[in-house]
Every structure is written in structure tokens, then in C-alpha cells.
Amino acid sequence: MCPNCRAFIGSGDRVCPYCGQQLGPRVIDMRQPKPILGGLIPHAQFTTILILVINIAFYIATTLVARNIGSDAVTLWAFGGKFGPKIYGEHEWWRLVTAGFLHGNLLHIAMDSLSLFYVGAQVEMVYGTPRYLVIYFVGTITGFWLSLMVNPMGLSIGSSAGITGLIGAMVAFGVVNRSAVGRAIRNSYVSWIVYILAIGFIGGFGTDNWAHIGGIIGGFVVGFVAGTPMRSTREREAMWRVLATACLLVTVFCFWQVYTHFPPPDQLR
């Protein structure tokens, strides 16, 4: 069925013969893509697992360095944590990206990993991989940017800014989709937001609630304007692939900045 004029069309049509609408990928192709690594990794969770692997790798690296120098805070600062004096004083704006891949302790990365594993798969199924990457990237930046505005002197890290960006995008999907399913999705993820912010306001966990709020706002805005691959065009999908590639390249550049600005050993003690 054509998503524009609702006429019945052939399964092989890529342009509706009735209204001329460009058609996106078929639902069956999106729901049953080719398996990854012989089916070892579910396709709907591939991007999420890749982010988790990166986070775990950086957690192991920061843990080993922290044991060597005896300071977790200095290590996280050296690896690119959000820290106002470095951002404002030395223009290290790349920290707004790299901070989203660092975690302070085992409980921190465990909680973020569980949340990302659950939310990430659903976002990737709804929005597709390119939008997923853009949402996560924007949520991370807006989260740590708001944290920087409110608390410039504080050191802040964690993937929860990007995760709350994904949650904000799912709320946006529920707002745009006015069906009963959309309302159920919106209400479910609004409950997530209330729970996350309540924990942050209670305190005692070292939670950066401003990063969460900024992530939610950024993710909601992207999700609201992004639409989904189900009702899109080839040109629009190509645009999102370009944006996702740009986000990946910027992320790689930011970590290259971490490498080039990494302090010498005598400054880490």
C-alpha cells in the first residue's frame, strides 16, 4: 500500500504508479535484513552492541590508567571528560562528544549498558541506523552542553546523555504517531524520563541531571523532525546516511583530539 495515497501497488514498485510518490524500503526488507556474523549479532542491536563495545574498551583503559596514577578524576579528565576550564579556557569542545563514552565505575557502566541495550534496539528498529546515530550524537552533545552551561566547573561523563537522547526520540515518535500504539510508546518512555530525573534529583548517585535533560531535548527535537524510514524517500534516506557518516567522522576526530592532547605522565600524578 502506498503510504501517500493508500492505493494498492505491486511489491516491486519503487514509485507509486498512481501518485508518483517515491517509496522507501519494503517492511519485509527492514524487518528481515541479512544476518550479521552468521546471525551471532541480532541486526536490530548491531549499532547498540558496537557502542557498548567502545564504551567497555574505554572503561577498561581508564580503569587501568587510574590504578597506575591513583586518581579516577584525573584519568577521566585526561580521556576527554566534560570539564569547563578546559573547554572554555583551551577551546577543547571535542570533550562534549568524548565525555559520552567514559564511565566512572562498574555500576555506572553496568546501568548505562543495560539501558542502552534495551532502548537502543527499539530506536534502531523504529528510526533505522542512520537516524539512530544522529540522535545519539546530538543527544550526547546537547546533554553535555547544557551540563556545561549550568555547571561549568564540574567533571561529567557517561553515555546516559546519549541514552536519554534516544528516549527523547521515542517520546517524539509517540507524539507524532497519534495511534494507540504511539500513545503507549510515548507514555512508556515518559515514565522512563520521570524515573531517571527523579533519581538524579534525589541525589547521592553523582548523577548529572542537566546532561540528562539536555539529552532528552536534543533527542526529542531530532526525533520529531526526522520521521521514520517507513514513510520516506530515497533522497531523504540518503541525506540521513550522509548526516550519520558526518557524526561518525566528527566522533573519530574528537577522539583523535584526545590522543593528541593527552597529558604527559608527569601531569597525571
Side-chain angles (χ1 to χ4, degrees):
M1 181 179 289
C2 173
N4 183 52
C5 69
R6 315 303 292 175
F8 287 102
I9 58 177
S11 61
D13 288 337
R14 292 296 174 262
V15 178
C16 177
Y18 301 99
C19 68
Q21 174 73 28
Q22 288 279 348
L23 306 176
R26 297 184 305 163
V27 174
I28 188 67
D29 293 333
M30 297 184 60
R31 292 186 176 177
Q32 298 181 1
K34 295 179 180 179
I36 301 173
L37 296 181
L40 181 63
I41 299 177
H43 198 285
Q45 295 174 337
F46 176 73
T47 305
T48 298
I49 291 175
L50 182 61
I51 296 173
L52 289 174
V53 168
I54 296 172
N55 289 346
I56 292 171
F58 275 105
Y59 175 72
I60 293 173
T62 54
T63 300
L64 293 176
V65 173
R67 287 179 180 177
N68 185 42
I69 68 173
S71 175
D72 291 336
V74 173
T75 300
L76 295 172
W77 160 78
F79 273 83
K82 183 230 84 182
F83 188 52
K86 280 289 184 179
I87 295 175
Y88 287 128
E90 301 184 26
H91 306 290
E92 296 182 355
W93 293 96
W94 40 266
R95 290 177 176 271
L96 298 181
V97 175
T98 56
F101 295 86
L102 305 174
H103 295 83
N105 53 54
L106 188 59
L107 178 61
H108 187 193
I109 192 171
M111 294 297 294
D112 280 1
S113 296
L114 286 173
S115 300
L116 179 59
F117 188 82
Y118 178 81
V119 178
Q122 296 194 20
V123 172
E124 191 164 8
M125 290 179 66
V126 170
Y127 284 101
T129 300
R131 289 172 175 80
Y132 175 104
L133 291 172
V134 175
I135 292 166
Y136 192 85
F137 180 83
V138 172
T140 299
I141 290 181
T142 56
F144 287 109
W145 179 82
L146 184 58
S147 173
L148 177 68
M149 295 296 103
V150 177
N151 184 21
M153 299 303 296
L155 178 67
S156 182
I157 44 105
S159 58
S160 55
I163 294 169
T164 52
L166 300 179
I167 293 173
M170 291 302 289
V171 173
F173 174 80
V175 170
V176 174
N177 189 327
R178 299 182 181 276
S179 67
V181 174
R183 287 193 298 271
I185 291 174
R186 180 196 62 198
N187 294 339
S188 174
Y189 280 98
V190 166
S191 299
W192 273 65
I193 292 174
V194 172
Y195 174 74
I196 291 171
L197 296 183
I199 291 179
F201 284 123
I202 290 173
F205 299 96
T207 303
D208 187 349
N209 242 6
W210 293 110
H212 294 164
I213 295 171
I216 292 167
I217 295 171
F220 181 89
V221 171
V222 177
F224 189 83
V225 302
T228 64
M230 303 300 296
R231 302 187 66 176
S232 185
T233 63
R234 292 183 182 276
E235 291 77 12
R236 188 175 177 85
E237 293 309 296
M239 178 197 72
W240 283 106
R241 287 193 292 270
V242 170
L243 290 176
T245 302
C247 291
L248 292 174
L249 292 176
V250 171
T251 301
V252 171
F253 172 77
C254 290
F255 277 108
W256 171 253
Q257 292 298 305
V258 172
Y259 175 76
T260 58
H261 289 78
F262 203 82
D266 60 315
Q267 295 184 16
L268 291 176
R269 297 183 181 277

mmCIF file of all heavy atoms in Angstrom, residues 1-7 9 13-24 229-236:
data_model
loop_
_atom_site.group_PDB
_atom_site.id
_atom_site.type_symbol
_atom_site.label_atom_id
_atom_site.label_comp_id
_atom_site.label_asym_id
_atom_site.label_seq_id
_atom_site.Cartn_x
_atom_site.Cartn_y
_atom_site.Cartn_z
ATOM 1 N N MET A 1 0.841 -1.196 0.000
ATOM 2 C CA MET A 1 0.000 0.000 0.000
ATOM 3 C C MET A 1 0.876 1.246 0.000
ATOM 4 O O MET A 1 1.824 1.329 0.789
ATOM 5 C CB MET A 1 -0.929 0.002 1.229
ATOM 6 C CG MET A 1 -1.857 1.213 1.305
ATOM 7 S SD MET A 1 -2.938 1.152 2.749
ATOM 8 C CE MET A 1 -4.042 -0.180 2.254
ATOM 9 N N CYS A 2 0.576 2.184 -0.871
ATOM 10 C CA CYS A 2 1.339 3.432 -0.934
ATOM 11 C C CYS A 2 1.091 4.232 0.345
ATOM 12 O O CYS A 2 -0.066 4.464 0.713
ATOM 13 C CB CYS A 2 0.935 4.238 -2.153
ATOM 14 S SG CYS A 2 1.686 5.898 -2.200
ATOM 15 N N PRO A 3 2.147 4.663 1.055
ATOM 16 C CA PRO A 3 1.945 5.428 2.290
ATOM 17 C C PRO A 3 1.390 6.819 2.041
ATOM 18 O O PRO A 3 0.938 7.475 2.981
ATOM 19 C CB PRO A 3 3.357 5.499 2.884
ATOM 20 C CG PRO A 3 4.269 5.362 1.711
ATOM 21 C CD PRO A 3 3.574 4.439 0.754
ATOM 22 N N ASN A 4 1.407 7.275 0.786
ATOM 23 C CA ASN A 4 0.938 8.625 0.481
ATOM 24 C C ASN A 4 -0.544 8.642 0.091
ATOM 25 O O ASN A 4 -1.360 9.334 0.718
ATOM 26 C CB ASN A 4 1.789 9.231 -0.626
ATOM 27 C CG ASN A 4 1.389 10.667 -0.940
ATOM 28 O OD1 ASN A 4 1.307 11.497 -0.041
ATOM 29 N ND2 ASN A 4 1.128 10.944 -2.200
ATOM 30 N N CYS A 5 -0.900 7.845 -0.941
ATOM 31 C CA CYS A 5 -2.285 7.877 -1.425
ATOM 32 C C CYS A 5 -3.094 6.657 -0.984
ATOM 33 O O CYS A 5 -4.281 6.574 -1.250
ATOM 34 C CB CYS A 5 -2.302 7.992 -2.953
ATOM 35 S SG CYS A 5 -1.705 6.502 -3.822
ATOM 36 N N ARG A 6 -2.427 5.687 -0.333
ATOM 37 C CA ARG A 6 -3.066 4.484 0.219
ATOM 38 C C ARG A 6 -3.586 3.545 -0.852
ATOM 39 O O ARG A 6 -4.397 2.655 -0.568
ATOM 40 C CB ARG A 6 -4.217 4.848 1.177
ATOM 41 C CG ARG A 6 -3.913 5.953 2.162
ATOM 42 C CD ARG A 6 -2.711 5.650 3.008
ATOM 43 N NE ARG A 6 -2.946 4.548 3.941
ATOM 44 C CZ ARG A 6 -2.019 4.017 4.737
ATOM 45 N NH1 ARG A 6 -0.784 4.492 4.691
ATOM 46 N NH2 ARG A 6 -2.307 3.045 5.541
ATOM 47 N N ALA A 7 -3.120 3.684 -2.077
ATOM 48 C CA ALA A 7 -3.525 2.756 -3.135
ATOM 49 C C ALA A 7 -2.703 1.475 -3.047
ATOM 50 O O ALA A 7 -1.551 1.480 -2.600
ATOM 51 C CB ALA A 7 -3.328 3.404 -4.507
ATOM 52 N N ILE A 9 -0.380 -1.282 -4.470
ATOM 53 C CA ILE A 9 0.640 -1.281 -5.518
ATOM 54 C C ILE A 9 1.384 -2.603 -5.496
ATOM 55 O O ILE A 9 1.218 -3.412 -4.575
ATOM 56 C CB ILE A 9 1.628 -0.111 -5.327
ATOM 57 C CG1 ILE A 9 2.290 -0.208 -3.945
ATOM 58 C CG2 ILE A 9 0.934 1.222 -5.484
ATOM 59 C CD1 ILE A 9 3.325 0.866 -3.693
ATOM 60 N N ASP A 13 7.287 -2.309 -6.849
ATOM 61 C CA ASP A 13 7.233 -0.890 -7.226
ATOM 62 C C ASP A 13 8.108 -0.055 -6.295
ATOM 63 O O ASP A 13 8.076 -0.239 -5.075
ATOM 64 C CB ASP A 13 5.800 -0.369 -7.170
ATOM 65 C CG ASP A 13 4.934 -0.916 -8.295
ATOM 66 O OD1 ASP A 13 5.517 -1.312 -9.314
ATOM 67 O OD2 ASP A 13 3.708 -0.953 -8.126
ATOM 68 N N ARG A 14 8.867 0.859 -6.868
ATOM 69 C CA ARG A 14 9.650 1.812 -6.086
ATOM 70 C C ARG A 14 9.116 3.227 -6.245
ATOM 71 O O ARG A 14 9.529 4.133 -5.548
ATOM 72 C CB ARG A 14 11.128 1.749 -6.505
ATOM 73 C CG ARG A 14 11.798 0.433 -6.122
ATOM 74 C CD ARG A 14 11.833 0.276 -4.611
ATOM 75 N NE ARG A 14 12.342 -1.029 -4.190
ATOM 76 C CZ ARG A 14 11.580 -2.056 -3.855
ATOM 77 N NH1 ARG A 14 10.253 -1.930 -3.906
ATOM 78 N NH2 ARG A 14 12.104 -3.198 -3.481
ATOM 79 N N VAL A 15 8.177 3.412 -7.174
ATOM 80 C CA VAL A 15 7.456 4.659 -7.357
ATOM 81 C C VAL A 15 5.973 4.312 -7.506
ATOM 82 O O VAL A 15 5.613 3.427 -8.279
ATOM 83 C CB VAL A 15 7.939 5.428 -8.601
ATOM 84 C CG1 VAL A 15 7.114 6.701 -8.789
ATOM 85 C CG2 VAL A 15 9.407 5.777 -8.483
ATOM 86 N N CYS A 16 5.107 4.972 -6.746
ATOM 87 C CA CYS A 16 3.672 4.682 -6.828
ATOM 88 C C CYS A 16 3.165 5.057 -8.220
ATOM 89 O O CYS A 16 3.321 6.204 -8.661
ATOM 90 C CB CYS A 16 2.916 5.471 -5.762
ATOM 91 S SG CYS A 16 1.121 5.232 -5.848
ATOM 92 N N PRO A 17 2.538 4.109 -8.938
ATOM 93 C CA PRO A 17 2.053 4.413 -10.284
ATOM 94 C C PRO A 17 0.837 5.341 -10.294
ATOM 95 O O PRO A 17 0.457 5.843 -11.348
ATOM 96 C CB PRO A 17 1.683 3.033 -10.834
ATOM 97 C CG PRO A 17 1.400 2.206 -9.626
ATOM 98 C CD PRO A 17 2.322 2.707 -8.557
ATOM 99 N N TYR A 18 0.251 5.595 -9.116
ATOM 100 C CA TYR A 18 -0.948 6.425 -9.045
ATOM 101 C C TYR A 18 -0.652 7.880 -8.674
ATOM 102 O O TYR A 18 -1.218 8.807 -9.248
ATOM 103 C CB TYR A 18 -1.940 5.836 -8.037
ATOM 104 C CG TYR A 18 -2.366 4.432 -8.396
ATOM 105 C CD1 TYR A 18 -1.776 3.335 -7.783
ATOM 106 C CD2 TYR A 18 -3.351 4.207 -9.364
ATOM 107 C CE1 TYR A 18 -2.154 2.041 -8.122
ATOM 108 C CE2 TYR A 18 -3.732 2.920 -9.707
ATOM 109 C CZ TYR A 18 -3.122 1.841 -9.088
ATOM 110 O OH TYR A 18 -3.490 0.561 -9.423
ATOM 111 N N CYS A 19 0.249 8.069 -7.698
ATOM 112 C CA CYS A 19 0.527 9.438 -7.255
ATOM 113 C C CYS A 19 1.958 9.870 -7.502
ATOM 114 O O CYS A 19 2.306 11.026 -7.272
ATOM 115 C CB CYS A 19 0.189 9.601 -5.767
ATOM 116 S SG CYS A 19 1.281 8.670 -4.654
ATOM 117 N N GLY A 20 2.823 8.948 -7.934
ATOM 118 C CA GLY A 20 4.206 9.291 -8.237
ATOM 119 C C GLY A 20 5.106 9.416 -7.024
ATOM 120 O O GLY A 20 6.238 9.886 -7.130
ATOM 121 N N GLN A 21 4.649 8.978 -5.850
ATOM 122 C CA GLN A 21 5.429 9.075 -4.621
ATOM 123 C C GLN A 21 6.600 8.098 -4.650
ATOM 124 O O GLN A 21 6.437 6.919 -4.953
ATOM 125 C CB GLN A 21 4.544 8.776 -3.405
ATOM 126 C CG GLN A 21 5.282 8.706 -2.083
ATOM 127 C CD GLN A 21 5.731 10.067 -1.593
ATOM 128 O OE1 GLN A 21 5.107 11.066 -1.913
ATOM 129 N NE2 GLN A 21 6.799 10.117 -0.838
ATOM 130 N N GLN A 22 7.818 8.603 -4.324
ATOM 131 C CA GLN A 22 8.967 7.731 -4.169
ATOM 132 C C GLN A 22 8.781 6.883 -2.914
ATOM 133 O O GLN A 22 8.403 7.402 -1.861
ATOM 134 C CB GLN A 22 10.252 8.557 -4.043
ATOM 135 C CG GLN A 22 10.710 9.220 -5.334
ATOM 136 C CD GLN A 22 11.465 8.257 -6.226
ATOM 137 O OE1 GLN A 22 11.839 7.181 -5.793
ATOM 138 N NE2 GLN A 22 11.678 8.647 -7.473
ATOM 139 N N LEU A 23 9.056 5.606 -3.007
ATOM 140 C CA LEU A 23 8.811 4.689 -1.906
ATOM 141 C C LEU A 23 10.120 4.257 -1.266
ATOM 142 O O LEU A 23 11.137 4.099 -1.940
ATOM 143 C CB LEU A 23 8.050 3.456 -2.404
ATOM 144 C CG LEU A 23 6.744 3.749 -3.152
ATOM 145 C CD1 LEU A 23 6.133 2.466 -3.671
ATOM 146 C CD2 LEU A 23 5.762 4.475 -2.229
ATOM 147 N N GLY A 24 10.092 4.094 0.060
ATOM 148 C CA GLY A 24 11.262 3.628 0.791
ATOM 149 C C GLY A 24 11.373 2.120 0.742
ATOM 150 O O GLY A 24 10.651 1.438 0.004
ATOM 151 N N PRO A 229 11.934 5.658 8.413
ATOM 152 C CA PRO A 229 12.170 5.129 7.064
ATOM 153 C C PRO A 229 10.922 4.570 6.392
ATOM 154 O O PRO A 229 10.891 4.430 5.165
ATOM 155 C CB PRO A 229 13.202 4.012 7.302
ATOM 156 C CG PRO A 229 13.826 4.330 8.612
ATOM 157 C CD PRO A 229 12.756 4.985 9.420
ATOM 158 N N MET A 230 9.896 4.257 7.176
ATOM 159 C CA MET A 230 8.699 3.649 6.616
ATOM 160 C C MET A 230 7.956 4.598 5.678
ATOM 161 O O MET A 230 7.312 4.179 4.734
ATOM 162 C CB MET A 230 7.759 3.201 7.746
ATOM 163 C CG MET A 230 8.408 2.237 8.730
ATOM 164 S SD MET A 230 8.968 0.726 7.935
ATOM 165 C CE MET A 230 7.410 0.046 7.405
ATOM 166 N N ARG A 231 8.047 5.909 5.963
ATOM 167 C CA ARG A 231 7.368 6.893 5.130
ATOM 168 C C ARG A 231 8.394 7.946 4.721
ATOM 169 O O ARG A 231 8.394 9.070 5.204
ATOM 170 C CB ARG A 231 6.192 7.526 5.871
ATOM 171 C CG ARG A 231 5.166 6.518 6.350
ATOM 172 C CD ARG A 231 3.930 7.182 6.923
ATOM 173 N NE ARG A 231 3.196 7.906 5.892
ATOM 174 C CZ ARG A 231 2.028 8.507 6.104
ATOM 175 N NH1 ARG A 231 1.489 8.481 7.317
ATOM 176 N NH2 ARG A 231 1.417 9.149 5.123
ATOM 177 N N SER A 232 9.283 7.539 3.843
ATOM 178 C CA SER A 232 10.369 8.412 3.448
ATOM 179 C C SER A 232 10.643 8.238 1.962
ATOM 180 O O SER A 232 9.972 7.474 1.266
ATOM 181 C CB SER A 232 11.624 8.083 4.278
ATOM 182 O OG SER A 232 12.669 8.985 4.001
ATOM 183 N N THR A 233 11.623 8.961 1.466
ATOM 184 C CA THR A 233 12.035 8.864 0.067
ATOM 185 C C THR A 233 13.505 8.476 0.014
ATOM 186 O O THR A 233 14.225 8.574 1.016
ATOM 187 C CB THR A 233 11.845 10.199 -0.661
ATOM 188 O OG1 THR A 233 12.703 11.186 -0.058
ATOM 189 C CG2 THR A 233 10.395 10.668 -0.562
ATOM 190 N N ARG A 234 13.953 8.069 -1.148
ATOM 191 C CA ARG A 234 15.357 7.698 -1.306
ATOM 192 C C ARG A 234 16.266 8.898 -1.042
ATOM 193 O O ARG A 234 17.329 8.752 -0.434
ATOM 194 C CB ARG A 234 15.593 7.150 -2.715
ATOM 195 C CG ARG A 234 14.909 5.814 -2.979
ATOM 196 C CD ARG A 234 15.245 5.284 -4.365
ATOM 197 N NE ARG A 234 14.547 4.041 -4.630
ATOM 198 C CZ ARG A 234 14.965 2.842 -4.252
ATOM 199 N NH1 ARG A 234 16.107 2.725 -3.596
ATOM 200 N NH2 ARG A 234 14.274 1.763 -4.533
ATOM 201 N N GLU A 235 15.854 10.066 -1.495
ATOM 202 C CA GLU A 235 16.668 11.256 -1.287
ATOM 203 C C GLU A 235 16.788 11.583 0.200
ATOM 204 O O GLU A 235 17.865 11.929 0.690
ATOM 205 C CB GLU A 235 16.064 12.447 -2.033
ATOM 206 C CG GLU A 235 16.135 12.363 -3.546
ATOM 207 C CD GLU A 235 15.083 11.415 -4.132
ATOM 208 O OE1 GLU A 235 14.166 11.012 -3.363
ATOM 209 O OE2 GLU A 235 15.185 11.095 -5.326
ATOM 210 N N ARG A 236 15.675 11.466 0.903
ATOM 211 C CA ARG A 236 15.690 11.752 2.341
ATOM 212 C C ARG A 236 16.538 10.730 3.088
ATOM 213 O O ARG A 236 17.290 11.091 3.999
ATOM 214 C CB ARG A 236 14.254 11.744 2.872
ATOM 215 C CG ARG A 236 14.131 12.233 4.321
ATOM 216 C CD ARG A 236 12.666 12.314 4.716
ATOM 217 N NE ARG A 236 12.504 12.701 6.090
ATOM 218 C CZ ARG A 236 12.490 13.954 6.537
ATOM 219 N NH1 ARG A 236 12.639 14.941 5.667
ATOM 220 N NH2 ARG A 236 12.324 14.231 7.814
#
